[in-house]
Amino acid sequence: MSEPMTVPLYMRRHAFDPDPELTAARDDEPVRKESTAFGLDVWMVTRFSDVRQVLGDPARFSNVQRAMPRLPGMPALSEEELARLRAGNLLSVDPPEHTRLRRMLTPEFTMRRMRRMRPRVEDIVTEHLDAMEAAGPPADLVTSFALPIPSLVICELLGVPYADRAGFQRRSGAILDISLPVRERAAAQLESRAYMAELVARTQAEPGDDLLGMLVREHGDDLSTDELIGIAGLLLLAGHETTSNMLSLGTLALLRHPDQLEQLRKEPERVDAAVEELLRWLSIVHSGTFKITTADVELAGRHIPAGELVVCALPVANRDPGFIADPDRLDIGRGEMGHLAFGHGVHHCLGAPLARMEMQIAFPALFERFPGLREAGPPAEFRSFNVVYGLRSLHVTW
């Protein structure tokens, strides 16, 4: 019988907070060797300034992981098959390839584009609040509010049929759950790619007004079919998983910090700052992608040879006293920008403006509609083994 998997240190949390051992590592040994869930050795980077340095230097800390050892249970793939799987995935390429892909996508995520989308996002939020109110309490906020809103938004943006959401949510859940066997996660990834390949083929035959249609019409000669599949798959996965978990976990954080929730209710104009503070304080993406050193580097006094894996512990970096005073306190009054919740440098999250807008709309609308919102029923269930931290359920009443 196999041993139960242990959550690697860079992913460990106690409810909202990084594990105390992770905080101690940042303060005592900010760059040190650790093990992943799959037994690979990585250099874990924990201080804010060091993490910024790693994320801001793709030349020495590369996202291109061609030399990654094959994990036990991972199907054997040829170099050609691996290249097809990596095509279009902005997280697995570096400049200049990354620059080329991102330049085509950036116009769809500008502030001007977000302002045009805002009325539709407001309608989607209102529709889900209406449905919650009509169904009456209690409700699971994850399934009734936090998950469906970003899913519907990203589906409409990309041109993915919302009726397919159960399938893509199941596959996303499997891909991101490191407690599952590698073979099962790989199968979900291949399933997801097959689904996106069908969607891209339909779009190429008849491009619509959505983002995929725009890419086909305007960049069809510059993007291969594999790149279109990779772009669509990444945006669909990242577009609903991250924001949905911020909505559920952020709601729970405010419910458990009633002074902060009261401040937001009294001063709704603080919502932008509140969103930034929740992003920093929760840091739901534990680490982002692993990096590989392309040369020998010195970091925080440690020598890291070329060809080594490096992982950035974002939650503990965002709570570094070297970055912000009293970092473990949730304080929506400060709303500091410059946090690392969306990453940093060339790989800074492309969808950050969309995620911010969804949260800026959803949080105030939720608490305005249900001023008596509170936890009820079984306690909120945190999910520990997921690449994106969050909640499996959040039972509420009002």
Side-chain angles (χ1 to χ4, degrees), residues 243-370:
T243 308
S244 69
N245 283 290
M246 270 303 302
L247 287 175
S248 57
L249 205 56
T251 298
L252 183 62
L254 290 169
L255 290 176
R256 292 190 180 177
H257 293 80
D259 59 322
Q260 299 301 299
L261 178 54
E262 184 59 23
Q263 188 177 353
L264 182 58
R265 282 195 170 117
K266 284 181 176 173
E267 303 173 72
E269 66 275 9
R270 283 190 183 273
V271 66
D272 292 9
V275 165
E276 295 309 315
E277 177 69 346
L278 287 167
L279 283 163
R280 177 199 71 83
W281 197 71
L282 296 170
S283 296
I284 59 166
V285 176
H286 301 286
S287 63
T289 53
F290 288 8
K291 314 290 181 187
I292 288 190
T293 51
T294 59
D296 289 8
V297 294
E298 293 286 329
L299 195 64
R302 297 300 299 267
H303 174 78
I304 306 176
E308 296 277 300
L309 285 173
V310 174
V311 64
C312 295
L314 301 181
V316 77
N318 272 332
R319 298 226 192 160
D320 186 344
F323 163 53
I324 197 167
D326 199 4
D328 293 321
R329 180 169 57 89
L330 178 66
D331 178 5
I332 67 164
R334 52 185 166 196
E336 293 286 338
M337 301 291 279
H339 57 72
L340 302 167
F342 286 122
H344 173 67
V346 296
H347 289 286
H348 183 273
C349 176
L350 178 71
L354 177 60
R356 283 185 166 111
M357 180 180 68
E358 290 180 76
M359 287 185 275
Q360 289 161 3
I361 292 168
F363 283 129
L366 174 67
F367 290 114
E368 184 179 338
R369 179 70 67 95
F370 303 119

Side-chain angles (χ1 to χ4, degrees), residues 20-82:
E21 187 183 341
L22 184 55
T23 302
R26 181 198 63 210
D27 297 340
D28 301 334
E29 195 180 3
V31 176
R32 79 183 205 188
K33 269 281 180 77
E34 280 293 328
S35 247
T36 70
F38 309 105
L40 299 176
D41 284 338
V42 294
W43 290 91
M44 183 178 73
V45 183
T46 50
R47 279 195 318 208
F48 182 86
S49 59
D50 297 327
V51 169
R52 269 181 62 97
Q53 185 178 335
V54 170
L55 297 181
D57 188 355
R60 293 193 303 160
F61 299 93
S62 172
N63 274 30
V64 182
Q65 298 176 3
R66 293 192 182 93
M68 276 280 282
R70 188 159 67 91
L71 301 175
M74 180 73 79
L77 297 172
S78 68
E79 271 304 312
E80 185 182 347
E81 288 171 317
L82 286 170

Side-chain angles (χ1 to χ4, degrees), residues 169-180:
Q169 286 168 2
R170 174 186 58 79
R171 291 187 293 269
S172 297
I175 291 167
L176 296 174
D177 186 349
I178 68 165
S179 71
L180 294 177

Side-chain angles (χ1 to χ4, degrees), residues 90-117:
L90 277 79
L91 298 180
S92 64
V93 293
D94 289 325
E97 184 65 7
H98 176 274
T99 311
R100 179 182 74 88
L101 293 172
R102 185 151 178 149
R103 190 178 292 129
M104 299 179 204
L105 290 166
T106 299
E108 293 301 304
F109 292 93
T110 59
M111 293 311 296
R112 181 183 298 175
R113 168 77 170 171
M114 293 305 106
R115 281 195 292 272
R116 288 209 310 271
M117 287 182 64

Side-chain angles (χ1 to χ4, degrees), residues 109 117 149-160 168 235-240 354 358:
F109 292 93
M117 287 182 64
I149 288 171
S151 296
L152 184 50
V153 171
I154 198 66
C155 280
E156 291 193 3
L157 179 66
L158 276 177
V160 175
F168 73 66
L235 292 179
L236 181 61
L237 176 74
H240 76 274
L354 177 60
E358 290 180 76

